[in-house]
Amino acid sequence: MFAKLMPSALVAAFVLAAPAHAAPAALLPVEAEAAAPASPLAPLAADSVWKPRFEAAAADLVAALQSRDEARWGPMLGGQWLAVADRARVRSLLVDPDSPFLPALFSRGDRHYRILGWSAPASLDARERAAIEAGQEAEALVCWSAGDDGDGPWPATAREADNRPGRGYACARIAYSLRGEAPGWRAFIETGNAGLAAPES
């Protein structure tokens, strides 16, 4: 019995003596993975089949946000799936004096908007681009600003559409789907480091 307990006692003593932060050394050196470059944004093509769909969705969304009525904008941002914290965050964006939504949506001057998509790689040929246009799902950013002539600045990448205080525009991401019995869309409003689920190809 004593002989059987000795190896276990030695192992326990060795484990207790080892530093708590000790970890097995890697057999191969590991290099830090380079961060993927942010995909540039570009205005949605004028002849895109998606443009009228996103324009209609953007018009409905801005009217709902301007109403500040959660019963109107809540369903567009996820309805029952919109977390309580996210609801509070959107409510705050619509009244916070530092929010870019106040000047973009509620100022009395001229308001401008842009619908931006992710730039397709130059390597895509005409057939591949046509396949994207004919797809069942698409995403775009809609951004609003007030004053000036509407020439910008606008976000150059999705990471710049984060609605931080000081931005000269306010943005929402719209995910549109033609799947199912009826076309539908959902909007997402990001803040700070929440990060947009944008293609980073």
Side-chain angles (χ1 to χ4, degrees), residues 10-11 22 35 37 40 46-47 56 63 67 74-75 85 87 109 123 140 146 164-165 180 185 199-200:
L10 288 172
V11 169
D47 60 349
S67 75
R87 288 180 180 273
S123 59
R164 284 189 318 183
W185 56 271
E200 295 294 345

Side-chain angles (χ1 to χ4, degrees), residues 77-198:
L77 296 174
Q80 62 181 335
W81 293 281
L82 183 61
V84 172
D86 290 329
R87 288 180 180 273
R89 183 170 50 83
V90 174
R91 283 195 300 268
S92 176
L93 283 172
L94 299 178
V95 297
D96 186 341
D98 294 326
S99 165
F101 277 85
L102 258 62
L105 299 187
F106 299 99
S107 62
R108 295 183 181 275
D110 293 336
R111 184 171 46 259
H112 312 281
Y113 76 97
R114 291 287 185 277
I115 298 178
L116 306 167
W118 286 266
S119 296
S123 59
L124 290 184
D125 59 26
R127 181 181 54 80
E128 291 169 321
R129 291 174 186 272
I132 293 174
E133 281 287 292
Q136 295 293 295
E137 297 176 345
E139 287 191 5
L141 287 168
V142 56
C143 298
W144 302 273
S145 73
D148 60 52
D149 55 7
D151 287 339
W154 297 100
T157 69
R159 291 172 185 158
E160 295 174 14
D162 56 4
N163 298 307
R164 284 189 318 183
R167 294 287 193 202
Y169 47 79
C171 298
R173 176 169 55 93
I174 296 176
Y176 208 111
S177 176
L178 300 179
R179 299 183 187 279
E181 295 181 2
W185 56 271
R186 177 180 174 181
F188 301 82
I189 294 177
E190 314 290 349
T191 56
N193 296 323
L196 292 168

Side-chain angles (χ1 to χ4, degrees), residues 26-51:
L27 298 177
L28 298 173
V30 178
E31 295 182 8
E33 186 175 338
S39 298
L41 298 172
L44 219 58
D47 60 349
S48 171
V49 297
W50 289 99
K51 189 174 183 184

